[in-house]
Amino acid sequence: MRPIQVVILVVALGAAVAAAMLAMNMTGRGDADSAAPVQAVIPSEEVLVVSSDIPMGGTVGAGNLQWRNWPKDGLGEGYVVRAQRPEGLTEISGMIARSQLLAGEPVREARLVRSDRGFLSAVLPKGMRAVAVKVNAASTAGGFILPNDHVDVVLTMQNGGSEGAPATAVSETILSNVRVLAIDQKVDDPEDKKSVVAQDTATLELSPEQSQLMIQAQQMGSISLVLRSIVDSVKSAEDEKIQTGVNVVKFGIQSRVTAAQ
């Protein structure tokens, strides 16, 4: 066999091997593509969510809301679903936030209120009252008590002494675990604007009975607020049984004025 024939035979064999390998690769790829799993489609609904942070007392406008797909399995009670309320965005727009709303969370009407009156009366829970108390930085944990903190209220009175004995100061906790609605005119404190300043007035959320007790206590002595840990701010069944009040001496007869929490 001449050399040129050998060369041609070798080239032909190489081309045949290359073609076979290419055919095998293409067949294998087709099998892999056909075996690829089909991505499951998760059933969802369009839900009204907050598109930007809204502070407590802020007005919820159309620019703060948007419809967003939400898994059906994750729908919570009170969510505004577009299929059920197509005009939900318009209906919610203009309402007031009773607590801070964060971007991305679904809108719940229980956390909103519509009112054409003052903000504080709108955010007060049913049956509760807002009572202003004169305070200063020294009597508010050095000024670190902020709106939405929970505090104990301590009354300090001067116990009149007899001849030769000086008067003594007596302190007593008259209310426990009450919420601070506002400090001066401030009802919210964004994390990036926290500051420690002297305060003149704290507004507390109290029941009608506690309101009467607080007003009486302010006439009897000075009021101090004691900051509670956030862990202790959740009232338990035992807390509901606690009776708080103040001992009052009138015409030489001691009595105790109390208010159920």
Side-chain angles (χ1 to χ4, degrees):
M1 182 178 294
R2 289 184 296 178
I4 188 61
Q5 292 177 330
V6 174
V7 173
I8 294 173
L9 180 61
V10 171
V11 171
L13 289 174
V17 172
M21 294 180 64
L22 180 61
M24 290 177 62
N25 288 338
M26 293 182 65
T27 303
R29 184 179 302 171
D31 293 341
D33 291 342
S34 62
V38 178
Q39 186 175 2
V41 178
I42 300 176
S44 62
E45 292 277 5
E46 284 190 290
V47 170
L48 194 63
V49 302
V50 181
S51 60
S52 58
D53 293 350
I54 300 175
M56 183 178 72
T59 300
V60 180
N64 303 118
L65 303 171
Q66 65 178 194
W67 295 107
R68 185 175 297 176
N69 287 329
W70 202 268
K72 278 189 175 182
D73 292 343
L75 292 178
E77 185 177 356
Y79 286 10
V80 180
V81 181
R82 191 169 194 173
Q84 301 171 1
R85 297 178 60 179
E87 301 298 326
L89 192 150
T90 303
E91 295 170 359
I92 296 298
S93 181
M95 299 184 76
I96 297 173
R98 299 185 64 173
S99 58
Q100 185 180 21
L101 304 178
L102 300 178
E105 70 171 290
V107 173
R108 293 182 178 87
E109 284 195 80
R111 301 182 63 185
L112 304 172
V113 63
R114 187 179 299 280
S115 176
D116 53 0
R117 296 179 296 173
F119 158 72
L120 203 56
S121 62
V123 300
L124 266 177
K126 183 179 179 180
M128 302 302 285
R129 308 289 187 267
V131 179
V133 180
K134 292 182 179 180
V135 294
N136 53 50
S139 63
T140 55
F144 281 96
I145 292 178
L146 301 172
N148 284 315
D149 282 337
H150 283 70
V151 298
D152 294 339
V153 181
V154 177
L155 170 65
T156 301
M157 299 179 294
Q158 294 294 327
N159 189 9
S162 57
E163 293 184 2
T168 57
V170 178
S171 296
E172 183 177 5
T173 300
I174 61 172
L175 292 174
S176 179
N177 201 8
V178 297
R179 183 165 74 108
V180 179
L181 293 173
I183 295 292
D184 288 339
Q185 299 295 317
K186 198 173 187 179
V187 296
D188 192 27
D189 194 83
E191 292 186 2
D192 58 346
K193 295 183 180 179
K194 286 189 181 296
S195 59
V196 180
V197 295
Q199 299 112 358
D200 297 320
T201 306
T203 304
L204 307 179
E205 178 186 278
L206 303 175
S207 68
E209 295 79 10
Q210 291 174 328
S211 301
Q212 296 176 16
L213 177 62
M214 177 59 67
I215 293 172
Q216 294 176 3
Q218 290 188 81
Q219 304 300 317
M220 299 168 60
S222 61
I223 298 294
S224 297
L225 305 182
V226 181
L227 181 64
R228 295 176 67 100
S229 164
I230 191 171
V231 179
D232 297 330
S233 299
V234 180
K235 292 186 179 181
S236 63
E238 292 298 322
D239 291 328
E240 298 297 331
K241 299 177 183 178
I242 296 176
Q243 299 289 323
T244 53
V246 58
N247 291 317
V248 178
V249 178
K250 189 174 183 179
F251 302 116
I253 301 175
Q254 179 172 300
S255 60
R256 185 172 181 81
V257 180
T258 63
Q261 294 211 92

